[in-house]
Amino acid sequence: MSEPSHPEIRESVRRLCAQFPGSYWQALDRDRIYPTDFVRTLTEAGFLSVLVPEDYGGAGLGLSAATAILEEIHRSGCNGGACHAQMYTMGTILKHGSPEQKARYLPGIASGALRLQAFGVTEPTSGTDTTRIKTFARRDGDDYIVSGQKIWISRAEHSDLMVLLVRTTPRDQARKSSDGMSVLLVDMREAVGNGLTIRPIRTMLNHATTELFFDELRVPAANLIGEEGKGFRYILDGMNAERILIASECIGDGRFFVDRAAAYASGREVFGRPIGENQGIQFPIARAHVQISAASAMVDKAAAMFEAGEPCGTEANMAKMLASEASWYAADMCIQTHGGFGFAEEYDIERKFRETRLYQVAPISTNLILSHVATHVLKLPKSF
């Protein structure tokens, strides 16, 4: 088996995560509290700015370094979902922002002085059919005035800035359904209470997700990223990075479950011998390892293509699907291996079980990935 990439980074991440054991996450999980100390420590160590170019104060590393960081965070029993968007959401500014916008925002994002963790796309009535979003921004002098609603927007309460996708031309007036959408950078510190309302949504896991309501929110026209009407393409660029990085988190989760199951099966004795001697126990653990290893190779391939600037939408989708399904199989196997103890909070298995289930739904569902592969790769008729 090939050696993991970026061994020095991985070792540093493991040492950092050792400061945040299961008891830390269990305490936060009970009351759905944001892991402020963990995020601050990651920020100060420079792990969240690895993708920001050195000219703006980051490490200027490739996506594979970011995948290594997130994989190790999750393998250590921690959760990068509280802050992973700080890594990649800035890519919209980096790739499509003006020189002035890059100079104004990227150094602060790199240092952690500015949090850019909110990515406002999904709406209650559109779901994954992004072309049907209704949140509208109309031009009024030097401002855009935004009205509408977003849902499942993570970390909005813990972010200074938000990348927001809006319609600037109604769908029925656009040449193509994907035209007429624009990207605005919203300063959350000024927006909340001045046209933006944030409502937290309590879910089965501690993911700081929210619903957003825009009521005549003024956003300076200077905060338009790129060209008006071209926003859909800008958002797609960021989605490939997001899917690859989420896939790496799933790999980390899967390895966490395999590590825990193998250790427990070796030490737990029933009927006078370790339960791991039984093939009914050891084969599912081995299968989980095989599936995680295969998915990991797909993640590495997608990350390498992304770094090389090659089109990688299909590979990013496949990596995310394979990794999320492998991690979910591993999670189920780990619960089964632990028996009743798998449901006990102190073992951390049930928490990670809940956390990894999310990734077959977000940031894109398995069925949408299959649809993409069917129509774009296999050239089957489009089903919608």
Side-chain angles (χ1 to χ4, degrees), residues 141-212:
D142 291 333
D143 293 331
Y144 284 98
I145 300 179
V146 181
S147 293
Q149 187 178 352
K150 299 288 182 179
I151 198 168
W152 310 124
I153 310 304
S154 300
R155 301 163 299 272
E157 296 174 293
H158 306 281
S159 191
D160 300 313
L161 305 169
M162 173 173 58
V163 169
L164 178 68
L165 185 67
V166 296
R167 274 221 166 267
T168 42
T169 301
R171 188 176 190 270
D172 58 6
Q173 295 176 26
R175 188 174 59 86
K176 292 192 307 182
S177 61
S178 57
D179 289 345
M181 288 183 278
S182 303
V183 175
L184 298 176
L185 189 65
V186 176
D187 191 323
M188 307 288 277
R189 298 164 297 182
E190 297 176 359
V192 174
N194 291 306
L196 172 61
T197 302
I198 302 177
R199 185 175 71 83
I201 301 174
R202 188 173 176 89
T203 64
M204 68 184 283
L205 63 158
N206 184 16
H207 200 66
T209 197
T210 64
E211 191 169 16
L212 308 181

Side-chain angles (χ1 to χ4, degrees), residues 242-310:
E242 179 184 42
R243 287 165 194 178
I244 295 167
L245 291 171
I246 293 295
S248 72
E249 293 185 352
C250 293
I251 298 300
D253 282 345
R255 296 198 192 285
F256 167 88
F257 291 122
V258 170
D259 292 345
R260 291 295 181 96
Y264 186 80
S266 296
R268 171 70 165 162
E269 292 195 1
V270 179
F271 301 119
R273 64 179 193 170
I275 62 173
E277 284 187 17
N278 301 309
Q279 291 181 346
I281 297 294
Q282 64 177 232
F283 282 8
I285 301 174
R287 181 178 292 276
H289 173 74
V290 170
Q291 292 179 177
I292 289 293
S293 298
S296 179
M298 189 72 233
V299 176
D300 291 344
K301 178 181 179 180
M305 292 176 70
F306 186 95
E307 287 182 356
E310 299 173 19

